[in-house]
Amino acid sequence: MNSKTSLRKGVFFPAFLRVLGAGVVGLVNNKFLIDRFQAVFNWSYVNLSWMYQFIMAALFVLCCLLLFSRKGDIRIGGKDAKPKYSFWTWFAMSLTGGIGASIVSSGVSQPITFLESVWGELEGYGIEPGSSEAVLFALGRTFHEWAFFPYAFYGVCGVLIAYVCYNQRKPLTISSTLSPLFGEKANRPGIAAVVDMAAVLALALAIVGTLGTFIGLVSSCLKQVYGITVSVPMMFAIMAVTTVVYLLSTLSGVDRGIKFFARLNFRFYMVLLLVVALLGGSLAWILNTGTSSLGYWLQNLPLWTFDTGTAGGENLIKWWTIYNWTFWMAFAPVTGVFLAQLSYGHTIREVLIVNWIMPSIFAMVWFSIFGGCAIDWQLSGVVDLAAVMQENGTYAAIWSFIRQLPLSAVLVPVTLFVMLISFSTSADNSVTVISALCMRGRKIGDEAPAPVKIAWGVAIGLLSFLLMAYASGGKGNDGVRYMVVSIGSVFSILIILQIAAAAKVFFFPSRSEDKTDVSQ
């Protein structure tokens, strides 16, 4: 590494050492780790729920304004910029780079949890579990927490980073997104290092969370389907194999690794959707229920958007809505760097369609089919998925579901493979971006040296293993869950500043910003 592309020690070492430190604490005193992070999340729920809901509303409104206003015509990189990837390759990379293996399992577990109020989710709204309204609530509420609102994070962060880095030619730092508010002060070495260190730490821990989810899903599959009790050494082996897979991908570069895995992953998503839609039960019932649930979501949209628990209750708002929002906050700023890189040559409107509209529609179709089929089976007595989750945890639901499908002996390993590819694609882009942010003198799209990527990949894998093996808690991944959402809660400050920066740079630009804009 030459001096121009040297390691940013003020970013790499503080973030890296904190990740390793969390692993050590989780190994030595896992209760202390869980209790401290749980306390942070509990405090943020009590005191900041109102803020999280306003953040989501602001992101949604900002996406709408950018999509439908003349600002949507701005081309990322300038008028003469040409896209690097074909449309469907771009969409596959954007979609699969922003979601992990959890969407596969959540397609079954979340709607069933809401349908049967497994942990009291329906108590606040006074809905009878298993009733007709509970069916509509189960899918409608899942749409709310997986579609247009959370993907607005990616929409705003991706557009803002792409615009300031490509059109205004700012350095590749998260702090550059704050330059519309603070000018060049945002890019001072000390400020930039602190902001980027926090962003790198947040995403690293978020990937720890998704890898922990994958380890839990594989462990559950081995136990539920094959009767194998997963030991600590076996859990380590699962982590090691997964880490090697996503490291091989990220070391091969975006144009080879992520591009290949994204296309493969997207095709498997489509295959799984078709299998469940055609073989999983009454397709007409599934489509009718999904359509009615869409109307139920729209009917309740105002209340759900601003409910801080006063109406919905803690079991729903705290452990689902606020938890999910804070998780997306941890992912969004740095994932936005990856999405911005893919956006070169496209207009802002096109970027929002691919990063906001289309993933939201995909999520709604996914949950309509998987969730609709699961609800149909739950109500008709084919399989009691709620009882499975209460006895064996949420991870078990997807495997009990798949075992009811024809050719389940083939579909179980195929689903495991899809989860592996799904996680690897998400981890690949994340390790690539956080490694690039740890380097000085890099432009958006530049790759970091292999040793930096390997260091991050191994650290993330080890922390995931330690937390799942020694700090899992009652729900199987408590150490991971509380750590990620606590970091996301703290990171909400950056999200608020980025919302303000996006509003200013697009709708209230200064003269200096107009002069540096190459798209004019």
Side-chain angles (χ1 to χ4, degrees):
M1 292 182 290
N2 56 45
S3 59
K4 292 184 178 179
T5 58
S6 60
L7 187 69
R8 295 174 67 193
K9 297 178 181 179
V11 175
F12 177 80
F13 285 111
F16 191 81
L17 292 176
R18 280 172 170 80
V19 169
L20 294 182
V24 172
V25 173
L27 179 62
V28 175
N29 191 341
N30 58 72
K31 186 178 186 304
F32 174 85
L33 183 76
I34 294 174
D35 289 346
R36 292 303 174 271
F37 282 110
Q38 184 179 10
V40 173
F41 179 57
N42 288 340
W43 182 90
S44 65
Y45 167 72
V46 172
N47 295 280
L48 300 178
S49 290
W50 62 272
M51 185 181 72
Y52 297 147
Q53 295 290 42
F54 273 110
I55 286 174
M56 298 307 301
L59 288 167
F60 182 86
V61 171
L62 193 51
C63 280
C64 291
L65 291 174
L66 289 170
L67 182 68
F68 296 110
S69 71
R70 294 176 59 187
K71 298 298 179 179
D73 298 326
I74 296 174
R75 188 168 300 277
I76 301 299
K79 295 180 180 179
D80 299 324
K82 303 297 181 183
K84 188 175 183 180
Y85 305 102
S86 66
F87 181 83
W88 286 107
T89 297
W90 175 32
F91 174 60
M93 294 171 73
S94 296
L95 174 70
T96 58
I99 55 177
S102 57
I103 192 173
V104 181
S105 61
S106 296
V108 172
S109 62
Q110 188 161 340
I112 292 298
T113 298
F114 290 161
L115 173 74
E116 297 292 351
S117 193
V118 174
W119 289 288
E121 288 81 4
L122 297 181
E123 293 174 0
Y125 290 126
I127 300 172
E128 182 68 24
S131 63
S132 298
E133 186 174 4
V135 172
L136 299 178
F137 180 90
L139 286 181
R141 188 73 190 194
T142 304
F143 293 163
H144 184 74
E145 297 188 2
W146 273 91
F148 289 95
F149 281 89
Y151 273 105
F153 276 118
Y154 289 168
V156 171
C157 291
V159 165
L160 178 61
I161 293 169
Y163 185 79
V164 298
C165 289
Y166 283 126
N167 293 61
Q168 296 192 331
R169 304 195 185 284
K170 301 292 184 183
L172 176 55
T173 62
I174 300 299
S175 60
S176 290
T177 61
L178 307 182
S179 58
L181 297 177
F182 305 112
E184 292 305 314
K185 294 179 182 179
N187 286 313
R188 289 179 178 175
I191 296 175
V194 170
V195 173
D196 285 357
M197 183 277 293
V200 166
L201 178 62
L203 185 60
L205 295 179
I207 292 299
V208 166
T210 57
L211 177 52
T213 296
F214 179 69
I215 293 173
L217 286 166
V218 176
S219 300
S220 176
C221 176
L222 294 176
K223 180 180 179 181
Q224 292 292 116
V225 180
Y226 302 109
I228 301 173
T229 300
V230 177
S231 62
V232 171
M234 192 178 297
M235 194 175 290
F236 181 84
I238 295 170
M239 178 279 296
V241 170
T242 308
T243 301
V244 169
V245 171
Y246 75 73
L247 273 179
L248 288 175
S249 176
T250 194
L251 290 173
S252 65
V254 173
D255 288 337
R256 295 179 62 186
I258 296 179
K259 184 177 178 180
F260 171 78
F261 275 116
R263 287 174 166 176
L264 183 65
N265 197 11
F266 185 72
R267 291 189 181 106
F268 271 108
Y269 278 155
M270 296 300 104
V271 170
L272 282 179
L273 278 175
L274 285 174
V275 168
V276 175
L278 298 178
L279 304 179
S282 173
L283 181 59
W285 189 92
I286 291 172
L287 295 178
N288 284 332
T289 303
T291 302
S292 298
S293 299
L294 174 61
Y296 187 84
W297 171 53
L298 294 175
Q299 178 186 5
N300 290 278
L301 187 58
L303 173 60
W304 290 0
T305 300
F306 296 103
D307 184 9
T308 60
T310 305
E314 181 174 311
N315 291 330
L316 174 68
I317 305 301
K318 178 181 179 180
W319 295 113
W320 288 97
T321 307
I322 301 302
Y323 170 82
N324 287 337
W325 291 171
T326 51
F327 202 98
W328 284 80
M329 286 181 197
F331 263 98
V334 182
T335 301
V337 175
F338 171 72
L339 299 177
Q341 179 181 339
L342 305 181
S343 300
Y344 185 82
H346 295 280
T347 65
I348 287 177
R349 184 172 294 108
E350 292 169 341
V351 172
L352 287 172
I353 289 173
V354 168
N355 291 341
W356 181 46
I357 300 294
M358 292 179 66
S360 298
I361 294 174
F362 172 84
M364 295 174 78
V365 171
W366 182 274
F367 283 99
S368 290
I369 293 176
F370 270 79
C373 180
I375 290 171
D376 186 18
W377 286 354
Q378 178 74 26
L379 296 177
S380 60
V382 173
V383 56
D384 191 347
L385 294 168
V388 170
M389 286 191 290
Q390 288 175 322
E391 182 178 350
N392 301 292
T394 56
Y395 294 145
I398 183 64
W399 307 118
S400 295
F401 175 82
I402 292 176
R403 292 177 73 182
Q404 303 301 318
L405 291 168
L407 302 174
S408 61
V410 176
L411 287 176
V412 167
V414 167
T415 303
L416 268 179
F417 179 73
V418 172
M419 289 179 175
L420 172 62
I421 299 302
S422 182
F423 168 75
S424 297
T425 308
S426 178
D428 183 346
N429 94 71
S430 299
V431 170
T432 297
V433 173
I434 63 177
S435 299
L437 287 172
C438 290
M439 303 304 299
R440 184 178 290 106
R442 295 274 160 169
K443 298 181 296 184
I444 187 170
D446 289 347
E447 300 273 351
V452 179
K453 291 183 176 182
I454 292 172
W456 273 117
V458 171
I460 288 169
L462 284 174
L463 180 57
S464 300
F465 161 71
L466 291 172
L467 292 179
M468 290 300 294
Y470 300 106
S472 57
K475 291 188 177 180
N477 62 346
D478 287 358
V480 172
R481 283 158 48 97
Y482 293 135
M483 177 180 290
V484 175
V485 297
S486 297
I487 294 296
S489 298
V490 175
F491 222 52
S492 60
I493 299 171
L494 177 61
I495 298 294
I496 293 172
L497 293 175
Q498 287 189 325
I499 291 172
K504 183 178 184 300
V505 77
F506 290 118
F507 299 104
F508 308 99
S510 64
R511 291 184 179 180
S512 60
E513 288 170 337
D514 282 336
K515 290 179 181 179
T516 59
D517 185 356
V518 299
S519 63
Q520 297 297 319

